[in-house]
Amino acid sequence: MGNDTISSSIYFVMLLAISMAACVSSFAVPSSAKSSSSSSFSQEAEALLNSGWWENFFSTKHCDLGGITCNRAGSVAGMEVHSFYYYSHESHGWLSNMSWSSLPNLEYLDLSYSGLIGGIPGEIGTLSKLTHLDLSFNFRLRGVLPPDLGNLTQLVHLDLSGTDIRGPIPSTIGNLRNLIHLDLNSSNLSGSIPPEIGNLKNLVEMNLGLNHLQGPIPSTIGNLRNLIHLDLNSNNLSGSIPPEIGNLKNLVKMSLGLNHLQGPIPSSIGNLSALTYLSLYSNQLSCSIPPEIGNLKNLVKMTLALNHLQGPIPSSIGNLSALTYLSLYSNQLSCSIPPQIWNLKSLVMMDMGFNILNGSIPTSIGHLSNLTHFYLDLNKLNGPIPPSIGKLSVLTRLFLDSNKLNGPIPSSIGNLSVLTYLSLHSNKLNGPIPPSIGKLSALTNLSLHSNQLSGCIPREIGNLKSLVYMDMSFNVLNGPLPSSIGNVSSLTYWSLRSNKLSGCIPSSIGHLSHLNFLYLNSNKLNGPIPHEIGKLKYLFELNISLNSLDGPIPSSIGNLSYLTHLSLHSNQLSNSIPDSIGGLSSLTYMSLASNMLDGVIPSSIGNLANLTHLDLRINLLTGPIPNIICGLKNLKVLQLSDNLLSGHIPGQIGGLCRLEYLGLGRNDLVGAIPSELTYLPQLEYLDLSQNNLFGKIPACLCLLAACHTTVSRFKSQIDLSMSVRMRSQAQVPTINATSVSRVSFSSEGSGCTPSYSIIVESVESENGLCPPIK
């Protein structure tokens, strides 16, 4: 029989004994007491009536009311009510509506889940015979715990969990020496745990979790030698774990997680030989894990995660043969993993991630045949992944990423037929991806990025029909994209960026109808962008830049109405920008730079109302800058440099009040610089160089960037080199000049009154080269 069953039996027997005693005491009523009894019964009936808690009171005897139990003498001994008539009269739902002093024989009171409001009246302390008090899960029960609760010295069961009771636990709680069950969890209690709690030597279960309790755990807790269940989790407790905790030799479950406990785990914890559950996670515990923890041979679950524990994992942990759950995540544990840990054949979950463990993963890992979750990520492990990992036939999650593992991915990994997560990224793994990976039919997440994997992507990847996430970026994979990828129709994220992949993008990509993110950038892909890409209607981000793709941008791209990020730059794309581009109504970022696109900028681009970044530079675009671009009020970056654009700079650009970067250099633009450019309050960079502009530089243009430079933007630059034949009117002496190579600003202040300098370099005047003017 388990310890939990024993504790439940003890508790039940004690309650039964108390109830029987109450019944025996009520068998005989002396005749001399009949008149006084009649009077007291009248008082009880009146108390129940005046509470307003029962609807049909006048047609029913008070002992026949719902939830009321009377003893043989006709006195109220029990009240168990979970819904009251007061739901239609909310003002009746107060505990103070009941005259508790009129119920002197009440032994059992359960009003849990009854919707009570208000506070707990001190008068409840007059119930001197009360053994059971449960007011739990009355979420609007507020106020503080009255010290009068300490008068209920016969109390065996006290449950006030799930309420909004605030303030401290009164020290008078130490008077409840018969208490077996104490549950105050999930309230708003504050203050410290009173040391008088150590007087409750009959206590079997104590739950004070999910409150705002502060200060240390009192050492008197070591007096509770009958305690089986201790829960202090999710408070603000501080100080060290008292060594006296080791006196609780009957303890089966201890939860101290989510506090601010400091210092070492006391070695006396090794005395808790009955313990099955130990949670100390998310504290500030330090020093090493005591080797005495290996004495807890009944332990089933242990979590010490999210602390500052240091040093090696003790080899004695290998003694915990019943352990199924082990979490040491996010500490500062070092050295190699002790070989004894691989003897824990009952383990189902092991998490030792985010430490500084080193050494290799031994072949004995294959002994953990019950393991379903295995985390060794974010350590400094080296050496190969042992082939014996393929023996973990029930493994569903394997995280070995962010280490220094090298060598190939073992082909035996294909034996993990129920694996759903495989994360091996950020290591030094090399060699090809084994074709056996295609056997992982349950796999949903595959992360192999940031390694040194080479060779072709195996066509067996197409067998992973449950795959949702796949990232193989930042490797040296080569060869073509397998057409079988089209079979992985559940894929939502696919990244192969920064490899050496070549060949065409397969048309089967159009079958990936659930894809949200596609990154194929920085490879050697060639050929056209397949028309089928327009079938990816749920795509949010598309990046196929930095390849050798050629041909036109397919008009079907306009079907991608959810697309927010489109990056096709640095390819060899040609022909005109399709008019259908205006269908990308969700687009915020578009870069088509560094291609061979020609023709005019389509007017449909004005439909992209959410666009913040538009980069069309280094193409062969012709015609004027369309006025409709000036309607894109969210633009921060407009880069049209290095094209063949002609005509005037539209003055409406001055309406782009969020614009920070404007590049129009190296085109065939003519006319004057529009004065509206001075209306751009956020502008940091302006390039109008190498055009055919003429006339005056607007007087405020030279001050624009400096005037609106914030403290975090110390440098702004305006480049007008070889762009104007003008007469400068910036706040410097008048210069008769035919070109100004560079005007730059350096701001040292902030707001609109900065300290700035204007430097006009290499000014060519009508009479020759003028010196710089400062």
Side-chain angles (χ1 to χ4, degrees), residues 671-748:
I673 300 173
S675 60
E676 290 86 350
L677 292 186
T678 62
Y679 301 159
L680 301 175
Q682 303 297 324
L683 197 64
E684 297 178 11
Y685 182 92
L686 171 63
D687 182 3
L688 305 178
S689 65
Q690 300 185 47
N691 279 287
N692 296 309
L693 303 174
F694 58 85
K696 297 178 181 179
I697 296 177
C700 293
L701 188 60
C702 295
L703 302 178
L704 182 64
C707 186
H708 295 281
T709 298
T710 64
V711 174
S712 62
R713 298 171 181 164
F714 288 118
K715 290 188 180 295
S716 299
Q717 190 173 77
I718 296 179
D719 191 344
L720 310 174
S721 61
M722 298 178 64
S723 65
V724 293
R725 290 177 288 106
M726 43 70 79
R727 190 180 297 272
S728 173
Q729 293 185 352
Q731 295 180 1
V732 293
T734 300
I735 307 168
N736 296 324
T738 56
S739 72
V740 179
S741 68
R742 186 173 295 271
V743 181
S744 62
F745 304 90
S746 177
S747 170
E748 298 174 358

Side-chain angles (χ1 to χ4, degrees), residues 95-277:
L95 275 174
S96 57
N97 284 357
M98 181 68 71
S99 174
W100 296 106
S101 59
S102 300
L103 304 174
N105 296 309
L106 193 64
E107 298 175 3
Y108 186 98
L109 177 59
D110 184 352
L111 302 180
S112 60
Y113 295 94
S114 60
L116 290 170
I117 59 177
I120 301 174
E123 188 188 9
I124 212 163
T126 62
L127 302 176
S128 59
K129 295 183 180 180
L130 200 65
T131 62
H132 184 108
L133 175 58
D134 190 344
L135 303 178
S136 62
F137 293 95
N138 286 290
F139 302 110
R140 293 191 293 169
L141 189 62
R142 298 187 173 94
V144 299
L145 292 177
D148 308 78
L149 281 177
N151 297 334
L152 306 178
T153 56
Q154 301 303 309
L155 211 57
V156 173
H157 179 106
L158 176 60
D159 190 346
L160 303 178
S161 60
T163 63
D164 192 22
I165 295 171
R166 300 168 184 264
I169 300 171
S171 60
T172 55
I173 202 167
N175 299 338
L176 309 181
R177 296 174 186 268
N178 290 305
L179 206 60
I180 293 173
H181 176 105
L182 174 62
D183 193 344
L184 304 179
N185 93 88
S186 302
S187 295
N188 279 307
L189 296 171
S190 57
S192 59
I193 300 173
E196 290 81 1
I197 206 105
N199 297 339
L200 310 181
K201 295 182 180 180
N202 289 310
L203 209 58
V204 171
E205 181 172 355
M206 179 165 71
N207 190 343
L208 307 181
L210 290 158
N211 281 289
H212 307 292
L213 298 171
Q214 303 168 353
I217 299 171
S219 60
T220 56
I221 206 165
N223 299 337
L224 309 181
R225 295 173 187 261
N226 290 309
L227 204 61
I228 290 175
H229 180 126
L230 173 63
D231 193 340
L232 305 179
N233 89 91
S234 303
N235 279 287
N236 297 312
L237 298 172
S238 57
S240 59
I241 299 172
E244 291 81 0
I245 207 94
N247 297 338
L248 310 181
K249 295 183 181 180
N250 290 307
L251 207 59
V252 172
K253 181 176 180 180
M254 179 164 70
S255 180
L256 308 181
L258 285 162
N259 280 288
H260 305 296
L261 298 171
Q262 302 169 343
I265 299 171
S267 59
S268 62
I269 204 167
N271 299 337
L272 309 181
S273 57
L275 205 62
T276 63
Y277 179 99

Side-chain angles (χ1 to χ4, degrees), residues 424-427 447-451 453 469 471-475:
L424 305 179
H425 69 81
S426 305
N427 279 290
S447 183
L448 305 178
H449 70 82
S450 306
N451 279 289
L453 298 171
Y469 177 100
D471 192 346
M472 299 179 178
S473 55
F474 299 101
N475 281 287

Side-chain angles (χ1 to χ4, degrees), residues 577 590 600-609 611 613-616 621 623-640 645 650-657 659 661-664:
I577 300 171
M590 179 165 67
V600 299
I601 299 172
S603 60
S604 63
I605 215 163
N607 299 334
L608 308 182
L611 206 60
H613 187 116
L614 175 60
D615 190 351
L616 303 179
L621 298 172
I625 299 171
N627 288 334
I628 200 161
I629 280 183
C630 303
L632 302 178
K633 300 298 184 182
N634 289 305
L635 269 185
K636 294 183 178 179
V637 174
L638 176 58
Q639 178 56 283
L640 303 177
L645 297 173
Q652 296 93 320
I653 281 182
L656 301 178
C657 60
L659 203 63
Y661 188 111
L662 177 58
L664 303 178

Side-chain angles (χ1 to χ4, degrees), residues 400-405 424-429 450-451:
L400 303 179
D401 59 89
S402 307
N403 280 286
K404 298 179 180 180
L405 300 173
L424 305 179
H425 69 81
S426 305
N427 279 290
K428 298 179 180 181
L429 300 173
S450 306
N451 279 289

